[in-house]
């Protein structure tokens, strides 16, 4: 593998004016890191997880030339992990997820979920599908405390009108 300099991105909740810095895990998930890096900036409506616990995420159209393999997988993300998931439209189609019919991802055959985990005790198991492994492709290196506070506010106050964004730092 080619030795490269560390790459960093900014992850933000723009309406709340909060951001943090993440380091890409090029040594553990090089294909996923390249796919995300080459597609930046990325972002969209933010959601707070119902099943995984301490997670916020956005749902995007596919952006990689080819979907990454399940490199550096986890079902137990830790605080600061950035994860990548690929879902089909039917996997996210049940009413239990709470997505409104106007959600921007509705009608897409494939949906990419970019997630940030901000606190401990997460378990990627879903009542409809079972285990849902994700690719850990980045880790927050600065500002996780501020982002965690904003995520907790998002959980309590609501996510409407807020976006989760990923940009090169």
């Amino acid at each position: 593998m080619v030795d490269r300099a560390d790459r960093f991105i900014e992850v933000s909740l723009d309406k709340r004016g909060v951001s943090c810095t993440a380091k890409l895990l090029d040594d553990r998930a090089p294909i996923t890191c390249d796919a995300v890096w080459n597609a930046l900036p990325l972002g969209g409506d933010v959601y707070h997880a119902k099943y995984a616990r301490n997670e916020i995420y956005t749902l995007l159209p596919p952006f990689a030339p080819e979907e990454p393999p399940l490199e550096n997988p986890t079902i137990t993300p830790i605080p600061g992990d950035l994860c990548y998931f690929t879902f089909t439209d039917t996997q996210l189609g049940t009413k239990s997820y709470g997505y409104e019919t106007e959600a921007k991802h509705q009608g897409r055959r494939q949906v990419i979920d970019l997630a940030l985990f901000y606190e401990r005790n997460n378990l990627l198991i879903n009542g409809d599908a079972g285990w849902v492994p994700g690719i850990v492709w980045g880790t927050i290196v600065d500002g996780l405390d501020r982002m965690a506070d904003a995520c907790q506010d998002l959980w309590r106050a609501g996510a409407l009108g807020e976006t989760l964004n990923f940009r090169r730092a």
Side-chain angles (χ1 to χ4, degrees):
M1 181 155 86
V2 176
D3 188 27
R4 64 170 97 183
D6 290 339
R7 297 189 285 181
F8 296 89
I9 62 169
E10 176 188 82
V11 183
S12 64
L13 291 168
D14 287 353
K15 182 178 173 185
R16 284 172 170 77
V18 177
S19 65
C20 56
T21 303
K23 178 181 180 270
L24 273 61
L25 299 176
D26 285 304
D27 58 331
R28 297 180 183 195
I31 297 167
T32 307
C33 288
D34 282 346
V36 172
W37 183 260
N38 292 334
L40 293 174
L42 293 164
D45 293 342
V46 68
Y47 296 92
H48 196 289
K50 288 175 75 174
Y51 295 105
R53 197 162 182 182
N54 300 299
E55 170 195 5
I56 62 169
Y57 62 96
T58 190
L59 299 172
L60 304 166
F63 52 80
E66 185 174 309
E67 278 309 300
L70 190 58
E71 54 184 0
N72 199 31
T74 190
I75 56 166
T76 56
I78 62 173
D81 277 352
L82 298 180
C83 289
Y84 181 110
F85 303 89
T86 304
F87 296 107
T88 66
D89 56 350
T90 56
Q91 287 175 301
L92 298 181
T94 65
K95 289 186 178 190
S96 64
Y97 294 105
Y99 300 123
E100 66 279 7
T101 56
E102 297 83 26
K104 293 177 184 169
H105 72 277
Q106 296 292 356
R108 294 185 190 145
R109 293 184 57 147
Q110 193 174 50
V111 179
I112 304 307
D113 172 333
L114 291 184
L116 180 155
F117 291 84
Y118 64 89
E119 188 49 78
R120 298 174 38 141
N121 300 321
N122 303 293
L123 186 59
L124 300 179
I125 189 166
N126 176 290
D128 297 328
W131 298 110
V132 183
I135 300 167
V136 182
W137 59 273
T139 187
I140 306 299
V141 294
D142 181 57
L144 181 58
D145 54 344
R146 294 184 308 272
M147 184 58 79
D149 288 345
C151 292
Q152 196 61 32
D153 180 65
L154 189 116
W155 172 250
R156 294 183 47 78
L160 285 179
E162 182 63 89
T163 57
L164 177 61
N165 296 286
F166 300 84
R167 300 174 186 91
R168 292 182 185 187

